[in-house]
Amino acid sequence: MTTVLLETRRLVKAFGANRAVDAVDFTVQAGELLALIGSNGAGKTTLVNLISGLLQADAGTIVFEGRDVTRQSIHERIEAGIARSFQLVNLFDQLTVADNVALTIFARQGKTPHLWTVAARDTVVADEAAQVLRQFGLASKAGMPAAGLSQGERKLLDVAVAYALKPKLLFLDEPTSGVSTREKAPIMDVVTSVVRQEHITAVVIEHDMDIVFRYSDRIVAMHQGAILAQGSPDEIRRNEQVTTTLIGSPPPA
Amino acid sequence: MTPAIRPRLLSRLEVGGGLLVAVALLAVPLVAAPFQTITVCYGLVFAIAALGFNLLLGYTGLLSFGHSAYFGVGAYVTAELVKYLGWTSMEAYVVAGIVASALVAALFGIVCVRYTRIFFGILTLALSQVLWSLALKLFWVTGGSDGLRVPTPTLLFGTLAPTKDKMDFLAYHYYYYVLVLFAAAVAVMWLIVHSPFGKALQAIRDNETRAEFVGVQVRKYRWIAFVVSGAFTGLAGTLWVPLNGLTTPDILYWQFSGRIVFFVVLGGFRTFWGPIVGALAYNYLETYAVGFTVYWQLVLGLVLVLLVLTLPQGLAGAVEALSRRLRGAPAVA
């Protein structure tokens, strides 16, 4: 028994003549870890930008938990439970690692309009931030400015900041891009274990097919703004259309 | 449990330095000549303006080139209260100055915070020049280029009337009055920048898009910061008028906005204390450069160029970096 958490219907976004997302029906089931794959320019990030509210759709609808969120602001979507990380690391570089996470928690708890309390004295938030950093293996870096982290740590913190919103649906846009091959699996180990432990539905955009096959429950392949195929990792691995278009080699025998 | 993420609220340097400065400031009227005391008093007033300005530049990442507007509103509202209502109470001026400058900032802010960077700077500049030209043209209200006189006010709800020797009153009673309000302004601003709201502003400064995606309503928060910033600068304008005895359109002109920028660049906009240090230092620099040479503006210009080239973090930033190096702590980017 699966329930649909998020659904897009005939979603369209065009940049000039280029239909980056072309009438896409995209579905995320509650509890799954879904990989969104496709070559550069396939429309993956545009799709996530539309769902998270960074871009407004030209046509079509986005339904989250049965509610139409197509015209909602970023803020409203976050409150509904949609969070995201970014492909290019997007952190608050001059804030400490702990404050990067703490800020998210303040925002989630509706405390960011408070001008009259000392943020560092809020032990509830500080404890939760420390807990999040421990989960992501960043506890020892808590007092350091985010700019001082290594690339791998920055990728983890980027996910941790989004995770601290305690979303129902978390979009991770290439959580392992820009790090060495050796670092990819450790990052995905941490991210997927946190996501599964907390029963967060996650959509991961990823290029590395080894990572995709190893960590995801289901895969959606996009090509030129449309969904090319979807299914379990095994089905996708055997799908000739996917392997020739995206991986560039025939399916394994 | 995890001391690493609960830093001390004030560093030892800040506590020690703060106490020293507090004692020094308290002692000024007792040991210095009235002229010296009044010079420091001007510095404190400018420091309040600079603190307000830096909430936008240092903490929110917005460079305003129009803060003369709020300083001027604070000053002119005081002058109009004298002109039309004959009020003499400093408390009334302070409340009116803060309220009026906050209202003007609220209005201007609606327009300005839609933009960032150069567009923000140009809009703030343009709006401040509207006020300047109004102050110049509506001479029957504002006194035009002659400005408006403001006699020395009564303090503490009329209980402390100015003495016969105006200079002595300003250099003693009024100095302490300003010092108390300065201390209050510092405390309030310190709280604001260390509050969750202050953290949200810094997040906006560092990464606007991400801030939006963790649930910070960027434009709204920028607007609130703009209003608070304007109110601080307005308070400074109100406190400045009795010292000067007169308000003219000069303080609404863009050059005065540039001077506030100078305070903060001189002191360092990356630190909390920088704007205060910068305002006090600039005020001294100008007072003495004017007495020393007719080319004082050239001197100030050279100082600014040298500063940007050698101490880009400003005076307070340089002191902070030095103390960090002496303690052997790692440099922070």
Side-chain angles (χ1 to χ4, degrees), chain A residues 19-218:
Chain A
R19 289 169 82 89
V21 168
D22 195 358
V24 166
D25 295 321
F26 173 70
T27 306
V28 182
Q29 311 287 346
E32 71 179 344
L33 201 162
L34 178 76
L36 189 55
I37 64 171
S39 50
N40 288 325
K44 309 180 298 290
T45 296
T46 304
L47 181 61
V48 171
N49 286 346
L50 290 171
I51 296 169
S52 63
L54 187 60
L55 293 175
Q56 286 293 324
D58 296 337
T61 51
I62 305 164
V63 178
F64 182 70
E65 287 194 310
R67 276 190 303 143
D68 186 343
V69 298
T70 319
R71 297 289 152 208
Q72 284 192 344
S73 68
I74 292 169
H75 194 70
E76 289 167 320
R77 296 185 209 205
I78 291 167
E79 287 191 335
I82 302 175
R84 69 171 297 182
S85 76
F86 289 82
Q87 181 180 354
L88 297 172
V89 176
N90 245 324
L91 294 171
F92 310 118
D93 277 341
Q94 292 176 49
L95 296 185
T96 63
V97 170
D99 275 348
N100 266 268
V101 175
L103 178 77
T104 304
I105 300 168
F106 280 124
R108 193 190 77 214
Q109 296 184 351
K111 287 178 180 168
T112 38
H114 295 189
L115 287 90
W116 54 88
T117 59
V118 175
R121 284 274 167 85
D122 193 323
T123 51
V124 177
V125 171
D127 287 345
E128 190 185 329
Q131 168 66 23
V132 169
L133 291 180
R134 271 197 298 278
Q135 285 177 284
F136 283 85
L138 293 167
S140 64
K141 313 280 178 177
M144 189 186 264
L149 295 179
S150 73
Q151 179 65 11
E153 290 163 343
R154 286 168 66 78
K155 297 297 288 191
L156 276 174
L157 182 57
D158 199 288
V159 177
V161 166
Y163 160 75
L165 282 170
K166 292 279 151 76
K168 294 171 185 153
L169 175 59
L170 178 58
F171 286 95
L172 302 174
D173 193 350
E174 303 200 26
T176 69
S177 70
V179 302
S180 67
T181 320
R182 202 160 41 82
E183 282 178 291
K184 283 179 193 268
I187 289 177
M188 285 306 290
D189 283 341
V190 171
V191 170
T192 52
S193 80
V194 172
V195 162
R196 293 205 191 275
Q197 215 167 25
E198 306 290 332
H199 307 290
I200 293 172
T201 309
V203 176
V204 181
I205 297 182
E206 184 56 65
H207 279 289
D208 186 321
M209 295 311 290
D210 290 336
I211 296 279
V212 168
F213 288 133
R214 184 162 153 196
Y215 291 97
S216 59
D217 303 326
R218 198 163 69 87

